[in-house]
């Protein structure tokens, strides 16, 4: 709604133009538009432009004459710098077009895109998304390509993600999925991948998010800095993902990525991958990098990070002990015995920790990791704990040697060629 009435000069001129001969109307309207944009005071500009738009869309002008006038108005209106004016005038013009939008589809879409841009400039992403949702994509005037549809839907998705609304974001991303196979614009395909990653992240599906971010980090069309940011996000999500074999495989992929050492999160990635204990200072520093949804409270009152660290330490205990009492486990994890038992039971039930529990003796028995099955540990399996630990240590040592060798080759190629190539 206009904040002021249109100026008397503009009102009088518009009335005269509506009654003017058709041959003089086009030039007269364009001259007036130039004058409004260049001379109307800031507090008057919105009201004058709204009056102008309503005039050219009025019945006195007619559709044949108004279509080129509206196209010219859109081009000039795009140059207005004040976002609030764009929102106010744009919405008024869109409302004026609405009853006969079939005759002005191209101009209607252009105005909505301008208004959406203005909302985003004001960081009102919900306003932008709702405006974009009204863009006509099933046009009777022209065929709308899958690229154009995907562009609008992805933009709506990203707006809702900015407002931390993954539910609405997912609804529009699912529309993109129906056409992405025929989208030829590589930039749109990358934005689709990025939106998928962010939605999984926002919904705390951290393992899926980590995989999507990692794939994004390998896209050659993205700048190197953006690829590293995606890799960083992949590591963060992998750390926050529920502990278990699937996360272990993802951590291995990330740890073996040659670029991993270039990001800040490499230290915590290395410790988790090598089953090293995390101290509180490291956990606190890592937590400061997380976004609000990544620090959300879980059902037991702990944060996602607290849960991830506790589960990581629980897996570490399973590699050091054949069996352990609930009380001792609680001491090692820094929680009470009941909570330690609850975490262990949940991980065993979900297949993320191999073992079984003796509730009477309050003991947890850990099985070999390779079994991947729930319950039913045999005495021979438990007795092979030392051998499995030895195998794990040997594997860890060989991976470290390989990593050091690679670093020597990259940083001192001449030394490597002379002493290490046989």
């Amino acid at each position: 709604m206009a904040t002021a009435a249109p100026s008397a000069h503009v009102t009088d001129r518009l009335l005269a133009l509506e009654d003017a001969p058709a041959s003089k109307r086009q030039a007269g309207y364009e001259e007036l538009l130039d004058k409004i944009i260049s001379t109307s005071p800031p507090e008057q500009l919105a009201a004058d432009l709204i009056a102008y738009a309503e005039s050219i869309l009025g019945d006195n002008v007619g559709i044949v004459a108004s279509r080129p006038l509206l196209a010219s108005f859109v081009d000039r209106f795009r140059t207005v710098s004040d976002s609030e004016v764009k929102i106010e005038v744009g919405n008024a013009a869109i409302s004026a077009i609405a009853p006969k939008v079939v005759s002005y589809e191209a101009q209607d879409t252009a105005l909505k895109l301008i208004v959406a841009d203005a909302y985003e400039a004001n960081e009102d992403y919900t306003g932008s998304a709702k405006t974009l949702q009204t863009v006509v994509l099933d046009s009777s005037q022209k065929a709308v390509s899958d690229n154009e549809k995907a562009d609008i839907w992805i933009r709506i998705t990203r707006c809702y993600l900015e407002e931390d609304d993954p539910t609405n974001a997912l609804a529009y991303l699912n529309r993109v999925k129906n056409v992405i196979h025929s989208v030829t614009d590589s930039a749109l395909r990358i934005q689709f991948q990025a939106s998928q990653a962010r939605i999984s992240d926002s919904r705390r599906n951290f393992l899926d998010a980590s995989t999507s971010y990692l794939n994004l980090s390998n896209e050659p069309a993205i700048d190197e800095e953006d690829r590293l940011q995606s890799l960083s996000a992949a590591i963060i999500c992998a750390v926050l993902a529920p502990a278990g074999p699937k996360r272990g495989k993802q951590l291995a992929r990330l740890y073996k990525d040659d670029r991993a050492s270039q990001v800040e999160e490499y230290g915590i990635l290395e410790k988790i991958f090598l089953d090293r204990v995390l101290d509180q200072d490291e956990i606190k520093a890592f937590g400061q990098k997380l976004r609000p949804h990544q620090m959300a409270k879980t059902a037991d009152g702990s944060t996602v990070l607290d849960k991830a660290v506790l589960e990581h330490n629980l897996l570490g205990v399973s590699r050091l002990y054949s069996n352990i009492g609930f009380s001792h486990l609680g001491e090692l994890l820094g929680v009470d015995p009941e909570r330690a038992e609850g975490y262990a039971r949940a991980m065993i039930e979900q297949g993320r920790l191999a073992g079984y529990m003796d509730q009477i003796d309050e003991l947890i028995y850990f099985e070999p990791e390779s079994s991947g099955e729930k319950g039913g540990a045999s005495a021979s399996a438990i007795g092979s704990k030392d051998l499995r630990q030895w195998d794990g240590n040997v594997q860890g040592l060989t991976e470290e040697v390989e990593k050091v060798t690679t670093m020597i080759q990259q940083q001192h190629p001449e030394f490597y060629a002379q002493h290490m190539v046989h």
Side-chain angles (χ1 to χ4, degrees):
M1 183 176 291
T3 57
S7 63
H9 168 74
V10 169
T11 302
D12 292 343
R13 185 72 180 125
L14 288 172
L15 289 173
L17 286 169
E18 289 172 7
D19 293 331
S23 59
K24 297 181 178 180
R25 193 176 287 159
Q26 177 86 22
Y29 268 114
E30 291 189 356
E31 179 184 345
L32 177 59
L33 179 60
D34 287 339
K35 189 170 184 179
I36 291 173
I37 290 178
S38 60
T39 65
S40 289
E43 67 276 8
Q44 192 72 50
L45 179 59
D48 287 348
L49 287 173
I50 290 172
Y52 180 91
E54 290 175 346
S55 176
I56 63 174
L57 289 166
D59 294 336
N60 289 338
V61 176
I63 291 176
V64 175
S66 65
R67 189 179 288 120
L69 286 173
L70 184 59
S72 178
F73 170 79
V74 170
D75 289 340
R76 293 301 312 277
F77 179 57
R78 190 178 281 112
T79 66
V80 173
S81 59
D82 190 323
S83 296
E84 293 294 344
V85 170
K86 281 185 174 179
I87 292 170
E88 184 178 347
V89 176
N91 282 327
I94 291 167
S95 296
I97 291 173
K100 40 193 173 183
V101 67
V102 174
S103 302
Y104 305 100
E105 282 186 358
Q107 293 78 23
D108 178 68
T109 296
L111 281 170
K112 288 172 179 176
L113 294 177
I114 292 171
V115 172
D117 288 340
Y119 275 124
E120 290 182 34
N122 287 354
E123 298 185 356
D124 181 357
Y125 297 101
T126 299
S128 178
K130 289 182 177 180
T131 300
L132 292 168
Q133 285 170 221
T134 65
V135 172
V136 178
L137 296 179
D138 296 318
S139 173
S140 60
Q141 303 297 315
K142 67 163 189 169
V144 180
S145 70
D146 287 341
N147 277 4
E148 292 172 305
K149 292 178 181 178
D151 186 26
I152 295 294
W153 290 334
I154 288 174
R155 188 170 170 186
I156 295 171
T157 298
R158 297 173 74 181
C159 283
Y160 278 124
L161 284 172
E162 289 296 330
E163 295 286 5
D164 198 21
D165 183 354
T167 302
N168 277 320
L170 181 60
Y172 280 89
L173 190 74
N174 285 337
R175 297 191 185 191
V176 183
K177 288 180 181 178
N178 294 328
V179 299
I180 194 64
H181 62 280
S182 57
V183 171
T184 57
D185 188 325
S186 59
L188 286 177
R189 298 181 73 89
I190 289 171
Q191 289 174 21
F192 173 73
Q193 292 179 53
S195 297
Q196 277 188 311
R198 289 184 61 188
I199 287 175
S200 295
D201 190 350
S202 295
R203 293 168 68 88
R204 288 190 276 170
N205 297 327
F206 292 120
L207 195 57
D208 291 342
S210 180
T211 301
S212 296
Y213 280 129
L214 180 58
N215 292 339
L216 198 61
S217 76
N218 290 314
E219 281 287 348
I222 302 177
D223 292 339
E224 178 65 21
E225 183 178 351
D226 291 336
R227 289 202 297 269
L228 288 177
Q229 287 180 355
S230 295
L231 181 61
S232 176
I235 293 173
I236 289 173
C237 288
V239 170
L240 296 175
K246 291 183 179 179
R247 187 185 77 151
K249 291 179 182 178
Q250 180 67 2
L251 289 170
R253 282 193 287 268
L254 291 165
Y255 183 68
K256 293 175 182 177
D257 193 304
D258 293 337
R259 305 165 298 164
S261 59
Q262 300 177 42
V263 300
E264 293 181 9
E265 294 76 18
Y266 177 71
I268 195 167
L269 168 66
E270 183 175 43
K271 283 201 167 185
I272 290 180
F273 178 71
L274 298 176
D275 296 323
R276 295 173 183 169
V277 177
L278 299 172
D279 60 48
Q280 289 302 313
D281 288 340
E282 289 175 310
I283 296 170
K284 183 178 180 181
F286 181 75
Q288 291 174 347
K289 303 173 185 176
L290 303 183
R291 288 182 284 178
H293 74 271
Q294 295 172 330
M295 290 296 289
K297 298 286 186 179
T298 59
D300 61 4
S302 61
T303 66
V304 175
L305 178 58
D306 292 336
K307 184 178 180 181
V309 171
L310 193 148
E311 290 184 348
H312 163 71
N313 290 338
L314 183 50
L315 281 180
V317 169
S318 75
R319 294 183 176 93
L320 296 174
Y321 292 81
S322 295
N323 59 73
I324 190 171
F326 296 166
S327 297
H328 189 194
L329 178 61
E331 292 176 8
L332 292 175
L333 299 179
V335 297
D336 59 68
E338 291 77 13
R339 189 174 175 191
E341 176 197 357
Y343 269 85
R345 181 175 62 252
M347 291 179 67
I348 291 171
E349 290 173 349
Q350 295 165 12
R352 298 188 287 120
L353 177 65
Y356 67 100
M357 307 179 77
D358 184 334
Q359 296 282 356
I360 297 175
D361 292 334
E362 296 188 345
L363 288 171
I364 300 174
Y365 291 90
F366 299 114
E367 297 179 11
E369 296 173 39
S370 58
S371 68
E373 298 175 354
K374 303 176 185 178
S378 65
S380 60
I382 295 175
S384 66
K385 194 75 174 182
D386 291 339
L387 181 58
R388 289 188 292 107
Q389 278 185 242
W390 175 263
D391 289 342
N393 290 337
V394 170
Q395 181 181 355
L397 177 61
T398 56
E399 288 174 348
E400 286 294 291
V401 170
E402 181 182 355
K403 201 169 189 69
V404 170
T405 303
T406 302
M407 292 173 65
I408 292 173
Q409 183 181 11
Q410 292 174 345
Q411 298 182 22
H412 304 284
E414 295 180 0
F415 177 87
Y416 180 87
Q418 184 177 356
H419 296 279
M420 307 187 73
V421 177
H422 299 286

